[in-house]
Structures are given as C-alpha cells and as structure tokens.
Amino acid sequence: MKQKEIPYKIYLEESEMPKEWYNVRADMKNKPAPLLNPQTLQPMTAEELGAVFCDELVAQELNETDPYIAIPEEIRSFYKMYRPSPLVRAYCLEEKLDTPAKIYYKFEGNNTSGSHKLNSAIAQAYYAKKQGLKGVTTETGAGQWGTALSMACSYFDLDCKVYMVKVSYEQKPFRREVMRTYGASVTPSPSETTEIGRQILKEFPGTTGSLGCAISEAVETATTTEGYRYVLGSVLNQVLLHQSVIGLESKIAMDKYGIKPDMIIGCAGGGSNLGGLIAPFMGEKLRGEADYEFIAVEPASCPSLTRGRYVYDFCDTGKVCPLAKMYTLGSGFIPSANHAGGLRYHGMNPALSQMYEDGLLEARSVEQTSVFEAAEQFARVEGILPAPESSHAIRAAIDEALKCKETGEEKTILFGLTGTGYFDMVAYEKFHNGEMSDYIPTEEDLAKGFAGIPKIV
Amino acid sequence: MKQKEIPYKIYLEESEMPKEWYNVRADMKNKPAPLLNPQTLQPMTAEELGAVFCDELVAQELNETDPYIAIPEEIRSFYKMYRPSPLVRAYCLEEKLDTPAKIYYKFEGNNTSGSHKLNSAIAQAYYAKKQGLKGVTTETGAGQWGTALSMACSYFDLDCKVYMVKVSYEQKPFRREVMRTYGASVTPSPSETTEIGRQILKEFPGTTGSLGCAISEAVETATTTEGYRYVLGSVLNQVLLHQSVIGLESKIAMDKYGIKPDMIIGCAGGGSNLGGLIAPFMGEKLRGEADYEFIAVEPASCPSLTRGRYVYDFCDTGKVCPLAKMYTLGSGFIPSANHAGGLRYHGMNPALSQMYEDGLLEARSVEQTSVFEAAEQFARVEGILPAPESSHAIRAAIDEALKCKETGEEKTILFGLTGTGYFDMVAYEKFHNGEMSDYIPTEEDLAKGFAGIPKIV
C-alpha cells in the first residue's frame, strides 16, 4: 500500500482519542517485583498503601492482570482541553541532518504545565476527588510536577499542598507563581508546618532543602491531615499506566498513516514518559506481534540503568516510601551540582527495570553539553525550545539519524518530546556562556550511593 | 442546517490552510492616510521607505488595491511547523460562567515565541532573505517580538541584531536567552554600538534605556550597515496583512462547522493581532456581505482609541520613523510604571484607526486588576495561562458572556488569545501578592502627551 502523504503534524480527531489506558504489566511474563513494606519487608498490602495513596490508585498500582483500564469520562473531558498532542514529522530536522531516516516526535509540551506530567496529575486528582478527599499533597523540585498537579486540582476543586525545595522556591519563583495562579499553596521546604520540617530546621537552621525532605513533609502532611493523600508524578506503575495515553495516541496516529517505527526513543528519569510512550509498542513485542528497538536515554551524571544495580531500594531519600526493586544508584546518590538537565532520580520505575533486566529495552547515557547542543540544534530547525530532559531523547534521535546517513538505512525513528524549556533558561544561559561542564560519576562516587542500599535478599 | 457537534479544538487540515493573506485595505472605502516623510511632510515614496525596510515589504505597505496576496511557499512551509493554530471552543469557561453564550478563541500561543508575532516575523525574514540581505535589526522591550524574529531569522539563516531595552535585558534574562538560543545577537540599549547610543550614554550615564532609544539604535544600525534593514512587529499595515492568517484560519474553521460569530474581540496595542483576527470578517462587513460586532480592548492606562486623538504623529518616541495618521496619545506618552499588562503603545495601526473613525469598530478600555482576575479565572478553567495582553480580550469576552447570562441571549463570541504568559510571571506575582494597582491617566497626563504631537493639517 502506498503511504498517504504525511503532514507536518498529525492530530487525531476527538473520536479517535484513546478511551482506555494500556497496562503493559498484564502482558509481561516476568512481572515487576512487588513494593515492600520497609518495616516488615513483606509486600505492601492495599490497606497499607491506602493510608498514603488514594484507593483507586492503589488498585491500579497492584493491578498486573487487566491489560486495559477505562479512562473515566471526566478525565477524557480534561484530556480534550490539551490533547490529542501532535505527532510531528520532523521534516526540517531531517533536511538539516541530510539523513534518509524518517523522524517523528510526540510533543507533550503544548499545555501550561509544559510537559507530559499533566496526563497523570489529572487522573490522580480525579480519583482523589471521587474518593471524597479534600486535597492532596506532593513535593516538587523545579516545579514541573507541582504545576501539573495544581492545574489538575484546580479543575476538580481540590486543595493542593505543594512542598517546594526551598532553594527552588526562592531562586525559581516563576513556576511557583504558575502554581499559585492555579490556587495551590506552595510551601518552601523544610517548613514549620511539619514535625520533620521543624526537626530539620532546628538541626540545620540555614538549610536550603532537598527533594527527600520535601517528600517527607508531603507524606507527613498527607497521613496526618484528615481527608488528604499523597501523590507522586513518576516512578510508580500507576503513573506509567496513565502516561500510556502518549504511546496509544502515537500508535493510533502512526497506524492511520501506515507508519511503523523501527526505533522508539525516550528520556528516562523515573520512567514516566518513556514507559508511557513505549507501552503499546512494548505490548506488541511482548505478545510477539511486532518488534521494535526501544532506547532509554539517561544523563551520564545519573546513570541508573547503565551503571546502576537491580535491587530493592528506597524510592525516596527520606526513606518514608515503600521499597521497590529497580535499577538504582542508591537513594543517597545525588548528581553533581553542575548537572542542569533534569532526570536526576536515583532509581527507575519497577516495570521498566524488569524489562531492561529482560533485555527488552536498551539504555544509553549522554553527557549534558552534547544534550544542550542537540537542544539548540532542534530548537533552531523545529521551532520548539525543548526541556533539557526531553533533549536527551533528541540527542539520541539525532545520533541515530546520523548513523542512518552513514549506512544509508531509511529507519523510522519515533521519540518523545516531553516538554518545553521555557522555565529552564538559566541552564540554557550557562550553556550559551560556555559555563556548562560534563560530569561522569567515578566508581568511588557510585560506591558511596550503593553503600546506602539496604541489604534485602 | 443542523450544526455538527463542535469539538473542543478545531484544527484545519494542512490542505485547508490559507494560501493567501487578505489585505483588508483593498475593501476599505476610506483608505488609511499615507505615511509622511517627517522632513518634507510628503507621502513616503517606495524609494524612501526602501532605505529602511525590505523592498517587498514596502510594496505590501503601499498596496491598497490587491485584496489577496499569495503567501510564498517557503513561508507556508514554516507556518506548517506551528500552524494551524487551534480554534478552541471554551466549553469549560462557558460552564463556569453558566452563560448561554458560545465562546470561541483562536489560540496563537502554541509556539516557542509564545505569541502571534511569529506570523509576521517569518514573512519579514523571508523577504529580507529573498532580497539577498545579510540580516535585520529590531528593538524589543519584554522580548516577545525579538524572540519571534530570532526564530524566523534562524530558519532562513539571517543575522538578527536585537536592541533590548537595558532594564529588560538585565531584569528579564529568560527571553534574552531564548533569543540567544536562536542565534540572535542581543545588545542592551543604549549601547556603544551606535552614534545615538553613545550620545545617550554620555548624557545619561546611568540610564536603563527606553523603547524609543532602542528603536533609534536599531534603525541607525540598519541604515548604516551594508546589507541590513529594519523590521517592526506591529503598527504597520504590512504586519496586519501577515497577521490576517489568524482571521482567515478562524473563518475557515468556523465556516466548516457552520458557526457565525456575532462578536469578535481582540486586545489592541499597536493593532497587529486585532487587525489580523478581524480582517476577513471586516472584509465581509465592508463589502456588505455580513455584519459583525468588533471590539478592540485596550488598557485603561494606555487608552489610544478610547481617549486618543486621530491625527498625524510620530510612530516612535525617537521620532526617526515616518509620521502616521492614527489614534494616538502622543509619542511622548508613557503609561504609569505600575502598568504590567503590555499593550503600552501610544498609537494604533492606521487602517484600524480609520475603521474606528468610520464607526466600523468599537473600543473599550479595561483596568489591569480586572484583567488579571480574568486571566486567572481563564487559566483555571481552560488550562492555558494567558499573556497579560491577551487577557484584555478575555476580560471583555467574559463580560459579554455574563451580559448574555442576564439577557438570555445565545451570542457567539470569538476572541483572540494571542499568547501565553510564561515569561510574565513577575506580573502575576504582583497580582497574587495584592501589589497590583490600577492607573487611569488624568486629563493632565493626557495633555502632556498630546502636547508632543506635531501640528500637521
């Protein structure tokens, strides 16, 4: 069949948008290992998880059997406000690279949160509302997840308490103000509002905070305030379930035009975007219906998959969340301060970790200067100024397209463009001024992180 | 005919996108008055204009006869990268307001420049390239226009020299870095690179600059550097011609679904968005084919149409550009420093000024606190955080929808959502902190501005 002429951007009709999320774990032969209670080292029960998370989300977290889960009507209505996101044919980039490769990207940045995080935020807010809760708590670093959650809570008239790492609260006031526009209360962490916050302030009076501390404050507030639960923007399997909307839309759009990608590339921090993008394609691979090459791209400064260990570890530096079996650098591992490109999470979603362990997924790491070079090149020819995180995938896509130029292969590449970099201009400024450097952890650096991993057989 | 069900967002197919701009002046009975040479007070000739502007753009500026002008293929290719922009049905806003009105908005913010300015920037860059020029110069305040021009020049590999008002260069570094990402050279104005800059620095050593000074530096550089011309992002008729793509796409989308707007609302600074949005609808009105209500919304602090005079005036505070007959507050008029909402231009596009004089167009002014209230309300229900400029139109659209609620009228309202406010969070922060105040110029304030208008009969 002759291919239809492919437009620059493929937008699905509303009627073509997915009505179900795809739960890739249902098709995995080797299931991801269960979350463990850090006290008992037994698998977390629904009841235990329900003290921290919403009931319906707990059910999704534990569901390894249903391949499809209906997207509630209210969430689908919200999706229609900013979705379908475009599947873009990168004609200009192809021309600039002079490559025979065909490059596509799924662009998730055309919404005020600036990224794909909104896909899960709205689902989590919906289930919280449905359960009759008053509000939710979360932590945020630079603010991408906090922004998405604020938007979602505003839509469902839920209270949203965000603990923002103090240094970001003070030095990156723009995202804070976006969150306030959506009615969230944003508290610099550590704060006087929690027991753990007060302790830390007493012990370290001048501290500028950390993500671990913000998580601890958010969890404490959720578990000690009537009608509140804690929500998380990545790492968990429920988040990957919601994010499958990215891959499903991509697949529907590609099928419509008879396009089959040879290679699917996503950046990987906690795994929410990568897992969502590849989900339905991985499903075909798991069921033996088709084959694809999947590539996870991570920063060389925080190489969870490429240099991490596949073991049980704490999900948070505060060690208050359940233990997960995953590729990890140790919850105490912190990338060098000169790392500007996001994706600084020490671990990786458990399902993706299992897929990587099973050889279903490749991983590679890239250095940040080359990531920003790719970002700038992409911005100039494709018109979109990408988030540093997304630019890891751009780097790998460009590298693959250049390989095709050498070999003459006409590969079809799909990558995830998770978001825009409008709130990351400080990092771009460093890059423009030649002040950006690369950092690769030494074996000693890694050993320190590994030392903090609990010994669980 | 029964209306089709209207989706949340209407995207045209690529094949439906306009292939010609619409030149509304061709259908005006009373043409806008010609630009005058400030020395001779005679109409500017093409030759005189050609010393400052590109030849093809001069031809467009002077063309009052051709209703349609073909959009060159290269520009249409670029448009396909970020257009068509969506025509959005504001279902959520309608529900929140509980109004029988049907509200639509044309959203121009889904591109990295963050606004509609890119529509004209790419056209101006194209004609500069076609003429074999090396580059263009311009000025920018907060940086929206400069960003759009940088993106356009990058695409056509043209040099782009932006003079950025020094206080913005220093205090608003984010847009500066976006421009640098696109390869523009951004110079804080006043600078040592021009005669006028050096003069001003000598006279006022500590000055933080002004838009007038930046214009003067950009024009001086364009006219004294081989292979350069000056480009402008608003006010000129050529800019409105390019921006007609907004209205044309809107009309095609509405016609496709059998929607006829009763009222079309746009914010008005220099007039580029308003003029572009209403153009094809105004054409129908001018030709007696249909009737629409057109509303220009301007800030109460800079009320060019509602309180200005229709006379010849300088287009720039530096008085280096041609004289235009327009509604003006005087080129020396500067809105109070507490004005955060953009649209601070003292005059108005000549064609729009003539339409207003002829009663084809209404105008109203709104105060900035109420503008930010509308912005926040809109952001929460429609998910898009709007630019302060765009929010003037939102304010008026909400007011009209609330009137419909009182009267029970089911009016169809279309407004222009020109851009996003991601780089305007400082203004939002003032609003959130209750530090925003309103300002309405007194008669004395206006008299000072009027005093600077040249006496030309």
Side-chain angles (χ1 to χ4, degrees), chain B residues 166 170 190 200-209:
Chain B
K166 190 179 274 177
E170 285 166 357
I200 290 173
L201 283 172
K202 202 170 164 188
E203 208 168 335
F204 311 98
T207 179
T208 55

Side-chain angles (χ1 to χ4, degrees), chain A residues 6-26:
Chain A
I6 314 286
Y8 280 64
K9 297 194 261 21
I10 304 175
Y11 283 106
L12 300 182
E13 301 287 329
E14 275 182 12
S15 58
E16 296 170 315
M17 289 171 66
K19 295 183 179 59
E20 299 169 317
W21 291 303
Y22 170 61
N23 181 14
V24 72
R25 287 168 292 159

Side-chain angles (χ1 to χ4, degrees), chain A residues 87-146:
Chain A
L87 178 73
V88 186
R89 173 74 183 264
Y91 282 119
C92 299
L93 181 62
E94 289 172 20
E95 195 186 314
K96 183 78 180 178
L97 299 176
D98 189 23
T99 174
K102 295 174 185 69
I103 309 175
Y104 294 85
Y105 55 92
K106 181 71 168 167
F107 178 41
E108 292 289 316
N110 265 353
N111 70 73
T112 284
S113 81
S115 83
H116 68 293
K117 296 273 179 185
L118 195 52
N119 301 329
S120 183
I122 191 64
Q124 298 195 45
Y126 167 76
Y127 291 117
K129 186 71 181 180
K130 197 180 159 204
Q131 193 173 327
L133 298 179
K134 289 185 201 150
V136 292
T137 71
T138 201
E139 77 291 337
T140 202
Q144 214 168 46
W145 164 246

Side-chain angles (χ1 to χ4, degrees), chain A residues 8-9 14 80-81 83 112 151 176-177 180-182 379-380 382-385 422 429 432-433, chain B residues 8-9 14 80 83 112 151 176-177 180-182 379-380 382-385 422 429 432-433:
Chain A
Y8 280 64
K9 297 194 261 21
E14 275 182 12
K80 285 179 191 167
M81 270 176 33
R83 307 196 68 82
T112 284
M151 291 177 68
R176 178 188 81 206
E177 293 307 320
R180 289 177 75 194
T181 301
Y182 286 95
R380 290 188 184 186
E382 288 290 318
I384 298 167
L385 192 145
Y422 308 146
E429 183 176 10
H432 295 147
N433 293 343
Chain B
Y8 279 65
K9 298 193 261 19
E14 275 181 11
K80 285 178 192 168
R83 309 196 66 82
T112 285
M151 291 176 69
R176 178 189 81 206
E177 292 307 320
R180 289 176 75 194
T181 301
Y182 286 94
R380 291 188 183 185
E382 288 290 320
I384 298 166
L385 192 144
Y422 307 145
E429 184 177 9
H432 295 147
N433 293 343

Side-chain angles (χ1 to χ4, degrees), chain B residues 169-215:
Chain B
Y169 182 92
E170 285 166 357
Q171 292 180 4
K172 298 181 178 178
F174 284 10
R175 278 215 190 264
R176 178 189 81 206
E177 292 307 320
V178 179
M179 290 185 260
R180 289 176 75 194
T181 301
Y182 286 94
S185 74
V186 187
T187 305
S189 167
S191 76
E192 295 284 350
T193 67
T194 65
E195 188 59 40
I196 182 92
R198 288 187 292 270
Q199 270 178 30
I200 290 173
L201 283 172
K202 202 170 164 188
E203 208 168 335
F204 311 98
T207 179
T208 55
S210 71
L211 208 54
C213 170
I215 294 178

Side-chain angles (χ1 to χ4, degrees), chain B residues 371-429:
Chain B
V371 166
F372 276 84
E373 282 164 4
E376 187 162 281
Q377 181 172 21
F378 181 83
R380 291 188 183 185
V381 294
E382 288 290 320
I384 298 166
L385 192 144
E389 294 82 359
S390 323
S391 305
H392 289 70
I394 297 174
R395 174 76 273 162
I398 290 177
D399 290 345
E400 289 298 324
L402 291 174
K403 276 187 213 161
C404 288
K405 185 178 175 176
E406 280 180 29
T407 62
E409 285 176 290
E410 293 185 24
K411 282 192 185 173
T412 296
I413 299 169
L414 166 63
F415 73 89
L417 188 71
T418 56
T420 51
Y422 307 145
F423 293 96
D424 301 293
M425 295 319 296
V426 171
Y428 274 92
E429 184 177 9

Side-chain angles (χ1 to χ4, degrees), chain A residues 31-312:
Chain A
K31 307 290 184 194
L35 298 174
L36 298 187
N37 181 316
Q39 266 83 52
T40 65
L41 299 186
Q42 295 302 305
M44 292 287 288
T45 62
E47 201 185 338
E48 286 170 334
L49 285 167
V52 180
F53 301 110
C54 303
D55 298 343
E56 193 85 34
L57 293 167
V58 169
Q60 291 179 358
E61 191 64 34
L62 299 176
N63 187 333
E64 295 186 338
T65 49
D66 297 326
Y68 290 97
I69 292 176
I71 308 176
E73 179 61 36
E74 291 86 344
I75 298 175
R76 287 170 51 210
S77 287
F78 188 88
Y79 279 171
K80 285 179 191 167
M81 270 176 33
Y82 73 100
R83 307 196 68 82
S85 71
L87 178 73
V88 186
R89 173 74 183 264
Y91 282 119
C92 299
L93 181 62
E94 289 172 20
E95 195 186 314
K96 183 78 180 178
L97 299 176
D98 189 23
T99 174
K102 295 174 185 69
I103 309 175
Y104 294 85
Y105 55 92
K106 181 71 168 167
F107 178 41
E108 292 289 316
N110 265 353
N111 70 73
T112 284
S113 81
S115 83
H116 68 293
K117 296 273 179 185
L118 195 52
N119 301 329
S120 183
I122 191 64
Q124 298 195 45
Y126 167 76
Y127 291 117
K129 186 71 181 180
K130 197 180 159 204
Q131 193 173 327
L133 298 179
K134 289 185 201 150
V136 292
T137 71
T138 201
E139 77 291 337
T140 202
Q144 214 168 46
W145 164 246
T147 308
L149 189 66
S150 306
M151 291 177 68
C153 287
S154 166
Y155 185 74
F156 284 124
D157 203 17
L158 267 179
D159 186 39
C160 181
K161 295 187 192 299
V162 180
Y163 287 90
M164 188 171 188
V165 178
K166 191 179 271 175
V167 62
S168 296
Y169 182 91
E170 284 165 359
Q171 292 179 5
K172 298 181 178 176
F174 285 10
R175 280 217 189 261
R176 178 188 81 206
E177 293 307 320
V178 179
M179 290 185 259
R180 289 177 75 194
T181 301
Y182 286 95
S185 74
V186 187
T187 305
S189 168
S191 76
E192 295 284 350
T193 67
T194 63
E195 189 57 41
I196 182 90
R198 287 187 293 270
Q199 271 177 29
I200 291 173
L201 283 173
K202 202 169 164 189
E203 208 169 335
F204 310 99
T207 179
T208 55
S210 71
L211 207 53
C213 169
I215 293 179
S216 303
E217 288 202 85
V219 172
E220 179 184 325
T221 301
T223 50
T224 58
T225 314
E226 180 68 29
Y228 281 75
R229 289 295 184 283
Y230 170 66
V231 295
L232 198 60
S234 191
V235 187
L236 297 175
N237 289 317
Q238 61 185 264
V239 175
L240 264 73
L241 174 72
H242 308 145
Q243 294 296 357
S244 70
V245 70
I246 304 172
L248 290 163
E249 279 187 10
S250 301
K251 187 149 192 336
I252 295 167
M254 294 191 120
D255 286 348
K256 199 171 161 180
Y257 284 88
I259 307 158
K260 184 183 172 295
D262 297 299
M263 179 178 282
I264 304 174
I265 300 171
C267 61
S272 72
N273 156 70
L274 175 72
L277 174 68
I278 69 174
F281 301 96
M282 181 61 82
E284 288 193 330
K285 182 162 176 162
L286 289 166
R287 298 189 302 270
E289 296 164 9
D291 198 17
Y292 303 95
E293 196 176 346
F294 299 106
I295 303 177
V297 191
E298 57 185 16
S301 56
C302 191
S304 324
L305 288 171
T306 51
R307 299 177 70 195
R309 294 186 181 164
Y310 188 45
V311 291
Y312 267 106

